[in-house]
Amino acid sequence: MGCDIHLIVERKVGGAWELVTPDPKRTKYQDWLKVNWDFPRSYDSFAIMADVRNGYGTAGVDTGNGFVPIAEQRGIPADVSTKEDRTDDVGGMWLGDHSHSWLTLAEIKAYDWTRRTKKRGLLKAEAYKEWREHRGYPKTGWSGGVFGRDVIRVSNEDMDAYLESPVKDGKDRYTEVEWWADYKDAAGCLLSVIEELDKLNLGKPEEVRLVFGFDS
């Protein structure tokens, strides 16, 4: 089951927090989501922001060593600028079902983005063959978990042997691989939002914050 983020941006004006409305040219939202910022599904970003789906995916499948979160989950701030509900009233919003938190722009910028972590995933034979050439991020994609009557998981050594002498037995072979991931590359979705906020010149970084929650 997928997990998505619901995100608003606020800035402090005269001692109180107020909503920053996203540019309608860049967002895809319905009327009742008019205050939420568009943020693609990015489990690595979610892990770094709030320790959500951190090193695991659907049904708990292993996806790597995980990331060090910017901060532990804090809940919705008491002084949030708008109410949390599912209505389409002006100022209405929905911040998801769980893992609510918030981060200031200052905290995100001060975070150590130079770190790396190990990611893991499963590759089919042809994807593994391509991956062996560079051993970086799988260019043709990867799976966190695979299931099925004709699906089998094999070691890298067994996959190497299969690629040398393929067996026509109707089985789809997958093997697990590891690769290094840079934090800044993994959280590209989050950093794109930060770049956009910088262009808006909203004020001091400690007076601009992201408030968010998740659904699943």
Side-chain angles (χ1 to χ4, degrees), residues 43 54 115 138:
Y43 291 153
N54 196 1
R115 285 177 283 199

Side-chain angles (χ1 to χ4, degrees), residues 15 21 23 28 35 45 54 56-57 63 65 88 98 101 104 109 114 127-128 134 142 161 166 180 188 211 215:
T21 304
D23 181 353
K28 298 176 182 178
V35 298
S45 293
N54 196 1
Y56 67 92
T63 59
N65 294 351
D88 58 358
H98 63 85
S101 194
T104 67
K109 290 187 171 187
T114 65
Y128 172 73
H134 61 85
W142 55 278
W180 284 105
V211 183
D215 66 34

Side-chain angles (χ1 to χ4, degrees), residues 67-141:
F67 300 83
V68 178
I70 297 174
E72 295 302 318
Q73 294 169 17
R74 299 164 163 169
I76 298 174
D79 57 354
V80 68
S81 61
T82 186
K83 61 184 179 179
E84 182 193 9
D85 57 28
R86 292 174 179 265
T87 73
D88 58 358
D89 297 335
V90 175
M93 66 176 184
W94 182 48
L95 286 179
D97 303 302
H98 63 85
S99 306
H100 299 103
S101 194
W102 56 271
L103 296 169
T104 67
L105 194 57
E107 289 175 308
I108 298 171
K109 290 187 171 187
Y111 183 67
D112 182 5
W113 291 103
T114 65
R115 285 177 283 199
R116 308 176 80 197
T117 189
K118 274 286 183 69
K119 296 281 291 180
R120 283 183 289 277
L122 298 169
L123 302 181
K124 291 185 71 172
E126 288 303 312
Y128 172 73
K129 182 178 180 180
E130 181 276 328
W131 176 84
R132 290 186 308 184
E133 302 300 319
H134 61 85
R135 298 184 180 272
Y137 185 89
K139 296 179 181 178
T140 54

